PDB file of all heavy atoms in Angstrom:
ATOM      1  N   GLU Y 173     -35.450  92.377-168.387  1.00 85.00           N
ATOM      2  CA  GLU Y 173     -36.665  91.783-168.940  1.00 85.00           C
ATOM      3  C   GLU Y 173     -37.102  90.530-168.194  1.00 85.00           C
ATOM      4  O   GLU Y 173     -38.302  90.309-167.978  1.00 85.00           O
ATOM      5  CB  GLU Y 173     -36.433  91.445-170.416  1.00 85.00           C
ATOM      6  CG  GLU Y 173     -36.285  92.676-171.291  1.00 85.00           C
ATOM      7  CD  GLU Y 173     -35.782  92.342-172.683  1.00 85.00           C
ATOM      8  OE1 GLU Y 173     -35.119  91.300-172.855  1.00 85.00           O
ATOM      9  OE2 GLU Y 173     -36.036  93.132-173.605  1.00 85.00           O
ATOM     10  N   LEU Y 174     -36.126  89.701-167.796  1.00 82.00           N
ATOM     11  CA  LEU Y 174     -36.444  88.395-167.227  1.00 82.00           C
ATOM     12  C   LEU Y 174     -36.273  88.316-165.710  1.00 82.00           C
ATOM     13  O   LEU Y 174     -36.810  87.412-165.071  1.00 82.00           O
ATOM     14  CB  LEU Y 174     -35.564  87.312-167.875  1.00 82.00           C
ATOM     15  CG  LEU Y 174     -35.639  87.215-169.402  1.00 82.00           C
ATOM     16  CD1 LEU Y 174     -34.605  86.218-169.907  1.00 82.00           C
ATOM     17  CD2 LEU Y 174     -37.032  86.799-169.832  1.00 82.00           C
ATOM     18  N   GLY Y 175     -35.514  89.248-165.165  1.00 76.00           N
ATOM     19  CA  GLY Y 175     -35.184  89.163-163.760  1.00 76.00           C
ATOM     20  C   GLY Y 175     -33.860  88.428-163.577  1.00 76.00           C
ATOM     21  O   GLY Y 175     -33.454  87.623-164.417  1.00 76.00           O
ATOM     22  N   GLU Y 176     -33.189  88.706-162.484  1.00 70.00           N
ATOM     23  CA  GLU Y 176     -31.851  88.152-162.261  1.00 70.00           C
ATOM     24  C   GLU Y 176     -31.866  86.629-162.192  1.00 70.00           C
ATOM     25  O   GLU Y 176     -30.965  85.956-162.702  1.00 70.00           O
ATOM     26  CB  GLU Y 176     -31.260  88.760-160.981  1.00 70.00           C
ATOM     27  CG  GLU Y 176     -29.840  88.345-160.689  1.00 70.00           C
ATOM     28  CD  GLU Y 176     -29.791  87.117-159.793  1.00 70.00           C
ATOM     29  OE1 GLU Y 176     -30.647  87.024-158.893  1.00 70.00           O
ATOM     30  OE2 GLU Y 176     -28.913  86.261-160.019  1.00 70.00           O
ATOM     31  N   ARG Y 177     -32.894  86.048-161.584  1.00 74.00           N
ATOM     32  CA  ARG Y 177     -32.934  84.590-161.403  1.00 74.00           C
ATOM     33  C   ARG Y 177     -33.174  83.851-162.713  1.00 74.00           C
ATOM     34  O   ARG Y 177     -32.780  82.697-162.861  1.00 74.00           O
ATOM     35  CB  ARG Y 177     -34.010  84.214-160.392  1.00 74.00           C
ATOM     36  CG  ARG Y 177     -33.690  84.683-158.975  1.00 74.00           C
ATOM     37  CD  ARG Y 177     -34.729  84.206-157.992  1.00 74.00           C
ATOM     38  NE  ARG Y 177     -34.421  84.624-156.644  1.00 74.00           N
ATOM     39  CZ  ARG Y 177     -35.159  84.336-155.571  1.00 74.00           C
ATOM     40  NH1 ARG Y 177     -36.277  83.619-155.736  1.00 74.00           N
ATOM     41  NH2 ARG Y 177     -34.803  84.755-154.382  1.00 74.00           N
ATOM     42  N   ARG Y 178     -33.858  84.487-163.652  1.00 75.00           N
ATOM     43  CA  ARG Y 178     -34.168  83.822-164.926  1.00 75.00           C
ATOM     44  C   ARG Y 178     -33.229  84.264-166.044  1.00 75.00           C
ATOM     45  O   ARG Y 178     -33.435  83.931-167.202  1.00 75.00           O
ATOM     46  CB  ARG Y 178     -35.605  84.135-165.328  1.00 75.00           C
ATOM     47  CG  ARG Y 178     -36.651  83.573-164.360  1.00 75.00           C
ATOM     48  CD  ARG Y 178     -38.035  84.079-164.718  1.00 75.00           C
ATOM     49  NE  ARG Y 178     -38.370  83.794-166.105  1.00 75.00           N
ATOM     50  CZ  ARG Y 178     -39.271  84.466-166.809  1.00 75.00           C
ATOM     51  NH1 ARG Y 178     -39.902  85.499-166.255  1.00 75.00           N
ATOM     52  NH2 ARG Y 178     -39.538  84.136-168.059  1.00 75.00           N
ATOM     53  N   ALA Y 179     -32.197  85.017-165.701  1.00 74.00           N
ATOM     54  CA  ALA Y 179     -31.283  85.524-166.730  1.00 74.00           C
ATOM     55  C   ALA Y 179     -30.527  84.378-167.384  1.00 74.00           C
ATOM     56  O   ALA Y 179     -30.261  83.350-166.750  1.00 74.00           O
ATOM     57  CB  ALA Y 179     -30.287  86.494-166.100  1.00 74.00           C
ATOM     58  N   PRO Y 180     -30.187  84.507-168.659  1.00 78.00           N
ATOM     59  CA  PRO Y 180     -29.432  83.451-169.345  1.00 78.00           C
ATOM     60  C   PRO Y 180     -28.007  83.354-168.810  1.00 78.00           C
ATOM     61  O   PRO Y 180     -27.561  84.200-168.014  1.00 78.00           O
ATOM     62  CB  PRO Y 180     -29.435  83.925-170.807  1.00 78.00           C
ATOM     63  CG  PRO Y 180     -29.624  85.405-170.736  1.00 78.00           C
ATOM     64  CD  PRO Y 180     -30.503  85.649-169.542  1.00 78.00           C
ATOM     65  N   VAL Y 181     -27.309  82.336-169.233  1.00 84.00           N
ATOM     66  CA  VAL Y 181     -25.921  82.165-168.811  1.00 84.00           C
ATOM     67  C   VAL Y 181     -25.069  83.268-169.424  1.00 84.00           C
ATOM     68  O   VAL Y 181     -25.487  83.956-170.362  1.00 84.00           O
ATOM     69  CB  VAL Y 181     -25.379  80.786-169.247  1.00 84.00           C
ATOM     70  CG1 VAL Y 181     -26.165  79.672-168.593  1.00 84.00           C
ATOM     71  CG2 VAL Y 181     -25.431  80.655-170.763  1.00 84.00           C
ATOM     72  N   VAL Y 182     -23.876  83.440-168.888  1.00 87.00           N
ATOM     73  CA  VAL Y 182     -22.962  84.452-169.419  1.00 87.00           C
ATOM     74  C   VAL Y 182     -22.706  84.173-170.901  1.00 87.00           C
ATOM     75  O   VAL Y 182     -22.371  83.049-171.274  1.00 87.00           O
ATOM     76  CB  VAL Y 182     -21.628  84.425-168.646  1.00 87.00           C
ATOM     77  CG1 VAL Y 182     -20.620  85.373-169.288  1.00 87.00           C
ATOM     78  CG2 VAL Y 182     -21.858  84.811-167.187  1.00 87.00           C
ATOM     79  N   PRO Y 183     -22.885  85.167-171.764  1.00 89.00           N
ATOM     80  CA  PRO Y 183     -22.729  84.949-173.212  1.00 89.00           C
ATOM     81  C   PRO Y 183     -21.354  84.397-173.566  1.00 89.00           C
ATOM     82  O   PRO Y 183     -20.333  84.901-173.074  1.00 89.00           O
ATOM     83  CB  PRO Y 183     -22.928  86.350-173.800  1.00 89.00           C
ATOM     84  CG  PRO Y 183     -23.742  87.080-172.789  1.00 89.00           C
ATOM     85  CD  PRO Y 183     -23.302  86.548-171.464  1.00 89.00           C
ATOM     86  N   PRO Y 184     -21.286  83.401-174.411  1.00 90.00           N
ATOM     87  CA  PRO Y 184     -19.996  82.828-174.806  1.00 90.00           C
ATOM     88  C   PRO Y 184     -19.043  83.853-175.411  1.00 90.00           C
ATOM     89  O   PRO Y 184     -17.826  83.723-175.271  1.00 90.00           O
ATOM     90  CB  PRO Y 184     -20.386  81.759-175.836  1.00 90.00           C
ATOM     91  CG  PRO Y 184     -21.798  81.395-175.493  1.00 90.00           C
ATOM     92  CD  PRO Y 184     -22.420  82.651-174.991  1.00 90.00           C
ATOM     93  N   VAL Y 185     -19.581  84.877-176.094  1.00 91.00           N
ATOM     94  CA  VAL Y 185     -18.702  85.858-176.719  1.00 91.00           C
ATOM     95  C   VAL Y 185     -17.885  86.612-175.674  1.00 91.00           C
ATOM     96  O   VAL Y 185     -16.737  87.005-175.932  1.00 91.00           O
ATOM     97  CB  VAL Y 185     -19.515  86.842-177.594  1.00 91.00           C
ATOM     98  CG1 VAL Y 185     -20.433  87.712-176.739  1.00 91.00           C
ATOM     99  CG2 VAL Y 185     -18.590  87.726-178.414  1.00 91.00           C
ATOM    100  N   LEU Y 186     -18.429  86.797-174.472  1.00 91.00           N
ATOM    101  CA  LEU Y 186     -17.682  87.473-173.410  1.00 91.00           C
ATOM    102  C   LEU Y 186     -16.549  86.589-172.901  1.00 91.00           C
ATOM    103  O   LEU Y 186     -15.449  87.078-172.612  1.00 91.00           O
ATOM    104  CB  LEU Y 186     -18.619  87.852-172.263  1.00 91.00           C
ATOM    105  CG  LEU Y 186     -19.760  88.808-172.617  1.00 91.00           C
ATOM    106  CD1 LEU Y 186     -20.580  89.159-171.380  1.00 91.00           C
ATOM    107  CD2 LEU Y 186     -19.208  90.076-173.259  1.00 91.00           C
ATOM    108  N   LEU Y 187     -16.816  85.306-172.788  1.00 90.00           N
ATOM    109  CA  LEU Y 187     -15.763  84.378-172.365  1.00 90.00           C
ATOM    110  C   LEU Y 187     -14.695  84.273-173.451  1.00 90.00           C
ATOM    111  O   LEU Y 187     -13.497  84.197-173.146  1.00 90.00           O
ATOM    112  CB  LEU Y 187     -16.364  83.006-172.063  1.00 90.00           C
ATOM    113  CG  LEU Y 187     -17.476  82.987-170.999  1.00 90.00           C
ATOM    114  CD1 LEU Y 187     -17.973  81.564-170.778  1.00 90.00           C
ATOM    115  CD2 LEU Y 187     -16.954  83.582-169.694  1.00 90.00           C
ATOM    116  N   GLY Y 188     -15.136  84.269-174.705  1.00 89.00           N
ATOM    117  CA  GLY Y 188     -14.179  84.224-175.804  1.00 89.00           C
ATOM    118  C   GLY Y 188     -13.282  85.454-175.823  1.00 89.00           C
ATOM    119  O   GLY Y 188     -12.081  85.357-176.084  1.00 89.00           O
ATOM    120  N   GLN Y 189     -13.867  86.623-175.522  1.00 90.00           N
ATOM    121  CA  GLN Y 189     -13.060  87.846-175.487  1.00 90.00           C
ATOM    122  C   GLN Y 189     -12.083  87.821-174.319  1.00 90.00           C
ATOM    123  O   GLN Y 189     -10.967  88.334-174.431  1.00 90.00           O
ATOM    124  CB  GLN Y 189     -13.973  89.070-175.384  1.00 90.00           C
ATOM    125  CG  GLN Y 189     -13.246  90.408-175.457  1.00 90.00           C
ATOM    126  CD  GLN Y 189     -12.521  90.616-176.775  1.00 90.00           C
ATOM    127  OE1 GLN Y 189     -12.897  90.020-177.788  1.00 90.00           O
ATOM    128  NE2 GLN Y 189     -11.493  91.442-176.783  1.00 90.00           N
ATOM    129  N   ALA Y 190     -12.480  87.214-173.203  1.00 90.00           N
ATOM    130  CA  ALA Y 190     -11.551  87.088-172.073  1.00 90.00           C
ATOM    131  C   ALA Y 190     -10.347  86.237-172.468  1.00 90.00           C
ATOM    132  O   ALA Y 190      -9.210  86.550-172.091  1.00 90.00           O
ATOM    133  CB  ALA Y 190     -12.277  86.474-170.879  1.00 90.00           C
ATOM    134  N   ARG Y 191     -10.593  85.175-173.215  1.00 87.00           N
ATOM    135  CA  ARG Y 191      -9.477  84.342-173.677  1.00 87.00           C
ATOM    136  C   ARG Y 191      -8.589  85.131-174.634  1.00 87.00           C
ATOM    137  O   ARG Y 191      -7.363  85.036-174.592  1.00 87.00           O
ATOM    138  CB  ARG Y 191     -10.010  83.082-174.360  1.00 87.00           C
ATOM    139  CG  ARG Y 191     -10.725  82.123-173.426  1.00 87.00           C
ATOM    140  CD  ARG Y 191     -10.966  80.776-174.069  1.00 87.00           C
ATOM    141  NE  ARG Y 191     -11.900  80.864-175.185  1.00 87.00           N
ATOM    142  CZ  ARG Y 191     -13.221  80.751-175.061  1.00 87.00           C
ATOM    143  NH1 ARG Y 191     -13.766  80.550-173.867  1.00 87.00           N
ATOM    144  NH2 ARG Y 191     -14.008  80.831-176.126  1.00 87.00           N
ATOM    145  N   LEU Y 192      -9.224  85.935-175.486  1.00 84.00           N
ATOM    146  CA  LEU Y 192      -8.463  86.750-176.431  1.00 84.00           C
ATOM    147  C   LEU Y 192      -7.631  87.795-175.680  1.00 84.00           C
ATOM    148  O   LEU Y 192      -6.483  88.069-176.049  1.00 84.00           O
ATOM    149  CB  LEU Y 192      -9.423  87.437-177.401  1.00 84.00           C
ATOM    150  CG  LEU Y 192      -8.862  87.889-178.757  1.00 84.00           C
ATOM    151  CD1 LEU Y 192      -8.260  86.713-179.513  1.00 84.00           C
ATOM    152  CD2 LEU Y 192      -9.953  88.540-179.588  1.00 84.00           C
ATOM    153  N   ASP Y 193      -8.193  88.382-174.619  1.00 86.00           N
ATOM    154  CA  ASP Y 193      -7.444  89.333-173.793  1.00 86.00           C
ATOM    155  C   ASP Y 193      -6.188  88.672-173.229  1.00 86.00           C
ATOM    156  O   ASP Y 193      -5.103  89.261-173.245  1.00 86.00           O
ATOM    157  CB  ASP Y 193      -8.320  89.834-172.636  1.00 86.00           C
ATOM    158  CG  ASP Y 193      -9.361  90.848-173.082  1.00 86.00           C
ATOM    159  OD1 ASP Y 193      -9.025  91.714-173.904  1.00 86.00           O
ATOM    160  OD2 ASP Y 193     -10.502  90.772-172.607  1.00 86.00           O
ATOM    161  N   ALA Y 194      -6.359  87.462-172.714  1.00 84.00           N
ATOM    162  CA  ALA Y 194      -5.224  86.762-172.124  1.00 84.00           C
ATOM    163  C   ALA Y 194      -4.165  86.449-173.173  1.00 84.00           C
ATOM    164  O   ALA Y 194      -2.973  86.634-172.947  1.00 84.00           O
ATOM    165  CB  ALA Y 194      -5.698  85.478-171.437  1.00 84.00           C
ATOM    166  N   ARG Y 195      -4.595  85.982-174.337  1.00 78.00           N
ATOM    167  CA  ARG Y 195      -3.635  85.633-175.400  1.00 78.00           C
ATOM    168  C   ARG Y 195      -2.891  86.854-175.904  1.00 78.00           C
ATOM    169  O   ARG Y 195      -1.705  86.773-176.234  1.00 78.00           O
ATOM    170  CB  ARG Y 195      -4.372  84.981-176.566  1.00 78.00           C
ATOM    171  CG  ARG Y 195      -4.985  83.635-176.276  1.00 78.00           C
ATOM    172  CD  ARG Y 195      -5.725  83.154-177.513  1.00 78.00           C
ATOM    173  NE  ARG Y 195      -6.722  82.156-177.188  1.00 78.00           N
ATOM    174  CZ  ARG Y 195      -7.661  81.733-178.014  1.00 78.00           C
ATOM    175  NH1 ARG Y 195      -7.715  82.234-179.231  1.00 78.00           N
ATOM    176  NH2 ARG Y 195      -8.537  80.814-177.661  1.00 78.00           N
ATOM    177  N   ASP Y 196      -3.595  87.985-175.996  1.00 77.00           N
ATOM    178  CA  ASP Y 196      -2.970  89.182-176.542  1.00 77.00           C
ATOM    179  C   ASP Y 196      -2.259  90.018-175.491  1.00 77.00           C
ATOM    180  O   ASP Y 196      -1.817  91.131-175.774  1.00 77.00           O
ATOM    181  CB  ASP Y 196      -4.023  90.036-177.251  1.00 77.00           C
ATOM    182  CG  ASP Y 196      -4.423  89.447-178.599  1.00 77.00           C
ATOM    183  OD1 ASP Y 196      -3.550  88.841-179.253  1.00 77.00           O
ATOM    184  OD2 ASP Y 196      -5.586  89.579-178.994  1.00 77.00           O
ATOM    185  N   GLY Y 197      -2.171  89.501-174.264  1.00 76.00           N
ATOM    186  CA  GLY Y 197      -1.404  90.186-173.239  1.00 76.00           C
ATOM    187  C   GLY Y 197      -2.060  91.418-172.663  1.00 76.00           C
ATOM    188  O   GLY Y 197      -1.387  92.269-172.074  1.00 76.00           O
ATOM    189  N   VAL Y 198      -3.370  91.567-172.814  1.00 84.00           N
ATOM    190  CA  VAL Y 198      -4.079  92.685-172.188  1.00 84.00           C
ATOM    191  C   VAL Y 198      -4.188  92.398-170.694  1.00 84.00           C
ATOM    192  O   VAL Y 198      -4.717  91.357-170.303  1.00 84.00           O
ATOM    193  CB  VAL Y 198      -5.487  92.857-172.799  1.00 84.00           C
ATOM    194  CG1 VAL Y 198      -6.233  93.999-172.117  1.00 84.00           C
ATOM    195  CG2 VAL Y 198      -5.384  93.103-174.298  1.00 84.00           C
ATOM    196  N   PRO Y 199      -3.684  93.275-169.818  1.00 86.00           N
ATOM    197  CA  PRO Y 199      -3.698  92.992-168.375  1.00 86.00           C
ATOM    198  C   PRO Y 199      -5.117  92.755-167.848  1.00 86.00           C
ATOM    199  O   PRO Y 199      -6.065  93.413-168.291  1.00 86.00           O
ATOM    200  CB  PRO Y 199      -3.079  94.253-167.759  1.00 86.00           C
ATOM    201  CG  PRO Y 199      -2.293  94.881-168.868  1.00 86.00           C
ATOM    202  CD  PRO Y 199      -3.044  94.566-170.125  1.00 86.00           C
ATOM    203  N   LEU Y 200      -5.230  91.837-166.901  1.00 89.00           N
ATOM    204  CA  LEU Y 200      -6.540  91.564-166.302  1.00 89.00           C
ATOM    205  C   LEU Y 200      -7.101  92.820-165.652  1.00 89.00           C
ATOM    206  O   LEU Y 200      -8.317  93.051-165.678  1.00 89.00           O
ATOM    207  CB  LEU Y 200      -6.429  90.433-165.275  1.00 89.00           C
ATOM    208  CG  LEU Y 200      -7.729  90.033-164.574  1.00 89.00           C
ATOM    209  CD1 LEU Y 200      -8.783  89.587-165.578  1.00 89.00           C
ATOM    210  CD2 LEU Y 200      -7.466  88.931-163.544  1.00 89.00           C
ATOM    211  N   ASP Y 201      -6.230  93.650-165.083  1.00 90.00           N
ATOM    212  CA  ASP Y 201      -6.684  94.903-164.470  1.00 90.00           C
ATOM    213  C   ASP Y 201      -7.406  95.775-165.501  1.00 90.00           C
ATOM    214  O   ASP Y 201      -8.449  96.370-165.204  1.00 90.00           O
ATOM    215  CB  ASP Y 201      -5.479  95.662-163.897  1.00 90.00           C
ATOM    216  CG  ASP Y 201      -5.862  97.038-163.392  1.00 90.00           C
ATOM    217  OD1 ASP Y 201      -6.597  97.120-162.393  1.00 90.00           O
ATOM    218  OD2 ASP Y 201      -5.447  98.043-164.004  1.00 90.00           O
ATOM    219  N   THR Y 202      -6.883  95.825-166.715  1.00 90.00           N
ATOM    220  CA  THR Y 202      -7.531  96.602-167.776  1.00 90.00           C
ATOM    221  C   THR Y 202      -8.885  96.001-168.135  1.00 90.00           C
ATOM    222  O   THR Y 202      -9.871  96.723-168.321  1.00 90.00           O
ATOM    223  CB  THR Y 202      -6.633  96.632-169.024  1.00 90.00           C
ATOM    224  OG1 THR Y 202      -5.405  97.308-168.703  1.00 90.00           O
ATOM    225  CG2 THR Y 202      -7.313  97.354-170.177  1.00 90.00           C
ATOM    226  N   VAL Y 203      -8.936  94.682-168.241  1.00 91.00           N
ATOM    227  CA  VAL Y 203     -10.200  93.999-168.568  1.00 91.00           C
ATOM    228  C   VAL Y 203     -11.266  94.322-167.520  1.00 91.00           C
ATOM    229  O   VAL Y 203     -12.401  94.667-167.857  1.00 91.00           O
ATOM    230  CB  VAL Y 203      -9.976  92.473-168.653  1.00 91.00           C
ATOM    231  CG1 VAL Y 203     -11.304  91.757-168.893  1.00 91.00           C
ATOM    232  CG2 VAL Y 203      -8.989  92.145-169.772  1.00 91.00           C
ATOM    233  N   LEU Y 204     -10.894  94.219-166.241  1.00 91.00           N
ATOM    234  CA  LEU Y 204     -11.867  94.456-165.171  1.00 91.00           C
ATOM    235  C   LEU Y 204     -12.278  95.921-165.101  1.00 91.00           C
ATOM    236  O   LEU Y 204     -13.446  96.233-164.846  1.00 91.00           O
ATOM    237  CB  LEU Y 204     -11.277  94.001-163.834  1.00 91.00           C
ATOM    238  CG  LEU Y 204     -10.957  92.505-163.737  1.00 91.00           C
ATOM    239  CD1 LEU Y 204     -10.435  92.162-162.354  1.00 91.00           C
ATOM    240  CD2 LEU Y 204     -12.178  91.659-164.068  1.00 91.00           C
ATOM    241  N   ARG Y 205     -11.332  96.827-165.335  1.00 92.00           N
ATOM    242  CA  ARG Y 205     -11.682  98.254-165.344  1.00 92.00           C
ATOM    243  C   ARG Y 205     -12.701  98.553-166.445  1.00 92.00           C
ATOM    244  O   ARG Y 205     -13.599  99.380-166.269  1.00 92.00           O
ATOM    245  CB  ARG Y 205     -10.431  99.107-165.545  1.00 92.00           C
ATOM    246  CG  ARG Y 205      -9.538  99.211-164.299  1.00 92.00           C
ATOM    247  CD  ARG Y 205      -8.254  99.933-164.632  1.00 92.00           C
ATOM    248  NE  ARG Y 205      -8.528 101.294-165.100  1.00 92.00           N
ATOM    249  CZ  ARG Y 205      -7.672 102.003-165.838  1.00 92.00           C
ATOM    250  NH1 ARG Y 205      -6.547 101.472-166.235  1.00 92.00           N
ATOM    251  NH2 ARG Y 205      -7.983 103.236-166.197  1.00 92.00           N
ATOM    252  N   ARG Y 206     -12.558  97.885-167.576  1.00 92.00           N
ATOM    253  CA  ARG Y 206     -13.535  98.076-168.656  1.00 92.00           C
ATOM    254  C   ARG Y 206     -14.917  97.614-168.227  1.00 92.00           C
ATOM    255  O   ARG Y 206     -15.929  98.282-168.512  1.00 92.00           O
ATOM    256  CB  ARG Y 206     -13.087  97.314-169.896  1.00 92.00           C
ATOM    257  CG  ARG Y 206     -11.922  97.945-170.638  1.00 92.00           C
ATOM    258  CD  ARG Y 206     -11.411  97.024-171.724  1.00 92.00           C
ATOM    259  NE  ARG Y 206     -10.408  97.676-172.579  1.00 92.00           N
ATOM    260  CZ  ARG Y 206      -9.672  97.022-173.464  1.00 92.00           C
ATOM    261  NH1 ARG Y 206      -9.821  95.713-173.616  1.00 92.00           N
ATOM    262  NH2 ARG Y 206      -8.796  97.669-174.196  1.00 92.00           N
ATOM    263  N   TYR Y 207     -14.988  96.475-167.537  1.00 91.00           N
ATOM    264  CA  TYR Y 207     -16.286  95.980-167.084  1.00 91.00           C
ATOM    265  C   TYR Y 207     -16.892  96.910-166.038  1.00 91.00           C
ATOM    266  O   TYR Y 207     -18.100  97.180-166.045  1.00 91.00           O
ATOM    267  CB  TYR Y 207     -16.161  94.561-166.530  1.00 91.00           C
ATOM    268  CG  TYR Y 207     -16.293  93.508-167.598  1.00 91.00           C
ATOM    269  CD1 TYR Y 207     -15.169  92.967-168.216  1.00 91.00           C
ATOM    270  CD2 TYR Y 207     -17.545  93.066-168.022  1.00 91.00           C
ATOM    271  CE1 TYR Y 207     -15.290  92.008-169.221  1.00 91.00           C
ATOM    272  CE2 TYR Y 207     -17.676  92.115-169.023  1.00 91.00           C
ATOM    273  CZ  TYR Y 207     -16.541  91.594-169.606  1.00 91.00           C
ATOM    274  OH  TYR Y 207     -16.683  90.661-170.612  1.00 91.00           O
TER     275      TYR Y 207
END
C-alpha cells in the first residue's frame, strides 16, 4: 500500500515473538525457516 520506502518499522509483536523463541529454546534455524 505504501511502498517499501514508506513502510512502517518492523512490528513490535514480531520482535517480541523472536524473544519468546529464544527463551523457549526454539532454534533460530526453525524461526528463519518459518519466515
Side-chain angles (χ1 to χ4, degrees):
E173 292 168 335
L174 304 174
E176 184 268 323
R177 293 184 179 181
R178 296 172 55 203
V181 298
V182 174
V185 66
L186 299 183
L187 303 181
Q189 185 62 25
R191 293 192 294 271
L192 203 57
D193 284 319
R195 293 178 201 168
D196 285 327
V198 178
L200 180 59
D201 173 68
T202 297
V203 176
L204 297 182
R205 285 173 61 202
R206 286 171 172 169
Y207 273 95

